[in-house]
Amino acid sequence: MLNCVRNLYREHYNKKIKREKKMADKTNEALAYNCLNCGAPLRFDPTIGKLKCDHCDSEFTVEEIEESFGGKESQSEAKSTDEEWKTYSCSTCGAELMADLNTAVMVCPYCGNNTIATAQFAGSIRPDLLIPFSVTKDQAVKSYEEYYKKGFKKLLLPKSFINDNHVQEIQGVYIPFWLFKGRADIEGTYYAEDSHDEGDYEVTEKYKAYRQGNMSFDRVPADASKRMADNLMDSIEPYDFKSLKSFSMSYLPGFLAERFDVDEKDDRERAKKRVEGTIKQKTRATIKHEKVDEDRVQVDVEFQATEYALFPAYLLTTGWNDKSWTFAMNGQTGKFIGDLPISVGKFILLLLLSFLIPFILVSMLSGTDVAIFAGIIVAVITGLASRTTMKPVHRAIGADDYMEKSVNLTGQNEEHIGSERRKKND
Ligand SMILES: [Zn+2]
Ligand SMILES: [Zn+2]
């Protein structure tokens, strides 16, 4: 009986493969990644880092699949990936997505709408590198639930947001990135100060410093997707580049890949800002005084090489209160991030409590003035802490992870330019 079902299943897939082969014949590419044993669709399994058949439990390494499907040849010959992927476009937000033939795209991971149509793209290029998924969808779903249900967050989340959630719609997407390599040169002058006490006086020594140096950078990432919020992508960094692999289609089955739509040249500005942030901070740190102010600082960034890479992320976009909320998880490290809505009612209640509790406690020991002051302080701190907890998404300001540890100084000097004595107020 079981064999019979299995045979029927196999026949069904063989037919399907034939159909798809026909469509693909013009390029002679093997389009669908099917089990070498039984013909059922394969998917890349992040927990074992191999392709797995859910039908007969066979496992295949990426190398084995490449060999049987001729991926190796296409890697060296084909510059274009267009013919190898099934392509979709979202008619709501315009996202262009690719998947292997066995993976269907039902919901757009960027806008959450199901207005997905098959499409045809022209002139895209093959990625150079890829980091495979190492987190499964189940783990992503679990992390998301843990993320918004954790203590403080659950306290402030509107109830209807939790109820309306479409957790199961989390999708694994390979996000396109440009990786930039190059060198930054810096030249700057700084004012610096040290202060110490001498009896009743505070003495401030003043210096002027000069620094010249450089730092090289390698693989500073900037996502090449228009729809992907830059701050969200910056916030799920870093990716561990030790697992970078040469690109192969065999990592794709079961996931989507977005086609880049930000030109490499247009992404440079982002990488440049981060490199500037790091070299400025590292150079300033070489001036060993208590207080350092930049006077005039000039940074030149030279780009030497660019690579095109795909990084794994799980995305969930959920509509709530006429706004769309996107959550992202690093598909390699499991780091989860996303801004959460704050319930106004709950927020006001929390502020009220954080004012009243210290107010009542302090007023029992001290005057009303002091109690009001204590209440306000605690309420302000609570308010700020709520914001940081609920809105953790932010832009990256440096590129420390992708640069040398310190600046190579090629010139430096420092001169003492004066001192100031000031009588301390009582
Ligand atoms: Zn199989
Ligand atoms: Zn969309």
Side-chain angles (χ1 to χ4, degrees), residues 75-96:
Q75 219 164 14
S76 50
E77 284 168 20
K79 243 327 190 198
S80 159
T81 55
D82 297 352
E83 309 294 337
E84 302 169 26
W85 313 63
K86 196 169 171 187
T87 52
Y88 300 88
S89 121
C90 170
S91 52
T92 306
C93 75
E96 294 185 332

Side-chain angles (χ1 to χ4, degrees), residues 35 37-40 53 55-58:
C35 179
N37 188 30
C38 75
C53 170
H55 182 58
C56 74
D57 278 339
S58 301

